[in-house]
Amino acid sequence: MSIWRVLLSIILPPLAVLDKGCGSIVIVFLLTLCGWVPGIIAALVILNNPNS
């Protein structure tokens, strides 16, 4: 995970997970609509997942 991905996940969480698939984008987008911090946390968890 690069520093640019971390910064992008803090600024615009759905754009940070753009290449992880449609489901990840939808989940992060919905969580970002609920609150900015849950979107950031979800984006960082998805980006830090070693299985994907």
Side-chain angles (χ1 to χ4, degrees), residues 13-14 25-42:
I25 296 169
V26 171
I27 290 171
V28 172
F29 181 73
L30 291 174
L31 285 171
T32 304
L33 286 179
C34 293
W36 185 53
V37 174
I40 293 172
I41 293 171

Side-chain angles (χ1 to χ4, degrees), residues 3-49:
I3 188 71
W4 300 113
R5 281 286 173 115
V6 173
L7 291 175
L8 188 59
S9 68
I10 292 171
I11 297 168
L12 295 168
L15 289 180
V17 295
L18 197 61
D19 63 340
K20 298 296 182 181
C22 183
S24 297
I25 296 169
V26 171
I27 290 171
V28 172
F29 181 73
L30 291 174
L31 285 171
T32 304
L33 286 179
C34 293
W36 185 53
V37 174
I40 293 172
I41 293 171
L44 289 174
V45 166
I46 291 171
L47 290 175
N48 202 24
N49 188 3

